[in-house]
Amino acid sequence: MASKKEEWKKLRESSAERFGEDSVFGEGSTGARIAIVGEAPGRQEVEQGRPFVGQAGKLLDELLEEAGIDRSKIYITNVVKVRPTKESGGRTSNRPPRAGEIREGLEILESELQLVGPSLLVLMGGVPAKALIKKSFTLSRERGEVLDSGIGIPALATYHPAYLLRQRGEDFEKTRKAVVEDLKTAQKHAGG
Ligand code: URA
């Protein structure tokens, strides 16, 4: 029987076949108790072929450390494996993923998360929360609560670090504190 790691490598290969060589699969411990799920990779993630390594990823690292979560012990991935881009004035920039891209991403994501089998999903921002908890999910009302996800693994959603990067002054501090608090709740729930 193939080991979990071998099955994970096969899934990563099938994701690359389906979504292309520029797609970014998840990474981390395949025995993780916590899996972080973001929205989609950005430019730096595509360049390095790893999730959450750009500016938002660096902030995520700080937040995880503050909450006492070791990045090497968790699993990190995204709903959408391909960077959603738009062109304007000769420039390429990020755009929110479309419903179809989210639907397609979920097909691989579900197998990926079932294989890792964490005890809790931490959903960064509205896109994964709406895709995995419920369409009507709102961060302002339901962040930090452990809820059922549609794939049988409990999930807690919090603000995305990219959203945090757009806050200034007191708003930044308040939101940052909320995210750290949510990550601590996740760690406690996951038995860490
Ligand atoms: N934002 C995400 O949602 N995921 C990444 O991997 C990077 C930025």
Side-chain angles (χ1 to χ4, degrees), residues 38-42 45 51-52 56 78 160:
E39 184 175 308
E45 283 75 24
F52 280 106
N78 285 300
H160 194 292

Side-chain angles (χ1 to χ4, degrees), residues 66-137:
E66 219 170 305
I69 299 174
D70 184 344
R71 179 166 171 151
S72 71
K73 294 209 169 74
I74 62 172
Y75 189 80
I76 303 187
T77 191
N78 285 300
V79 175
V80 174
K81 303 296 195 252
V82 181
R83 179 188 178 202
T85 57
K86 61 174 193 260
E87 311 286 331
S88 67
R91 278 191 65 236
T92 304
S93 57
N94 295 339
R95 60 161 171 79
R98 299 186 182 110
E101 293 166 334
I102 294 172
R103 256 197 318 274
E104 260 200 278
L106 279 172
E107 288 172 24
I108 284 272
L109 179 73
E110 179 160 1
S111 311
E112 188 183 5
L113 294 174
Q114 298 294 0
L115 183 62
V116 174
S119 36
L120 186 72
L121 307 176
V122 176
L123 311 176
M124 308 306 297
V127 166
K130 285 177 192 291
L132 286 159
I133 298 176
K134 58 181 174 187
K135 264 198 183 138
S136 62
F137 186 91

